[in-house]
Amino acid sequence: MRIRMSAATLVTAAVAGSLTALAAVPAHAAEYDSALKVRGVQYDAPGRDSNNCSTGNTDEEYLTVKNYSSSKTVNLKGYVVKDAAGNRFAFTANHYLQPGDYVKLRGGNGSDSDAGNVVYRDNCNFMWNNDKDTIYLYKPTGSRADVHSYTKSGSDADNNGYITFHR
């Protein structure tokens, strides 16, 4: 017995198979189209938390953002970092990340340095919660570049409150 299929039937079957394959990809596996990604976060600054600008430890709380592109230099100007509560920081100055380079966004006050890979928030209040939080990174266009959530009891947190997000 010979089975005949029309061209329309073959196209419909191919499209249905493609849609099935797409549906099988878990939602958490979706990556945003961005060279910049959150690499890690020091959410619990070592020592007793104090947001006093002169004697506090907010500069020990930081977020690491990395340029995962193999060829593209990215300017951080216009990128925005937010947390679940709506605390935000906008990169307002030019800061260029070469391919594979990173920057630490630190709390507290200090001098930004391309050579030292550091940008200060110039704010002595802690941004990240010590127990759990969600970090959002937005492109200058407003579209989301990356997002990560953590909990203190998270399996990839070390004993010092630092989490590395594996890429």
Side-chain angles (χ1 to χ4, degrees), residues 18-151:
S18 296
L19 291 177
T20 302
L22 288 175
V25 176
H28 63 75
E31 286 291 327
Y32 296 100
D33 182 26
S34 174
L36 290 187
K37 306 277 187 200
V38 175
R39 173 71 173 113
V41 59
Q42 175 70 44
Y43 62 86
D44 189 2
R48 187 172 178 269
D49 286 351
S50 171
N51 60 1
N52 181 304
C53 282
S54 59
T55 61
N57 62 340
T58 56
D59 64 336
E60 294 299 320
E61 178 185 86
Y62 59 88
L63 175 73
T64 306
V65 176
K66 183 175 178 180
N67 179 357
Y68 282 90
S69 172
S70 60
S71 61
K72 181 180 173 187
T73 297
V74 179
N75 185 356
L76 287 171
K77 186 174 184 176
Y79 276 82
V80 174
V81 175
K82 291 183 183 178
D83 75 346
N87 296 308
R88 69 185 303 270
F89 172 82
F91 290 92
T92 58
N94 290 321
H95 189 90
Y96 295 93
L97 290 181
Q98 303 297 321
D101 204 4
Y102 67 92
V103 66
K104 286 185 178 179
L105 173 60
R106 290 191 173 276
N109 297 310
S111 297
D112 296 350
S113 168
D114 280 342
N117 292 355
V118 65
V119 172
Y120 286 87
R121 290 191 354 252
D122 291 329
N123 183 322
C124 295
N125 292 319
F126 290 97
M127 186 164 179
W128 314 115
N129 296 331
N130 288 350
D131 58 345
K132 64 181 178 178
D133 213 335
T134 301
I135 302 164
Y136 302 93
L137 177 64
Y138 292 95
K139 297 178 183 181
T141 61
S143 63
R144 191 175 288 169
D146 202 10
V147 62
H148 281 286
S149 296
Y150 67 85
T151 61

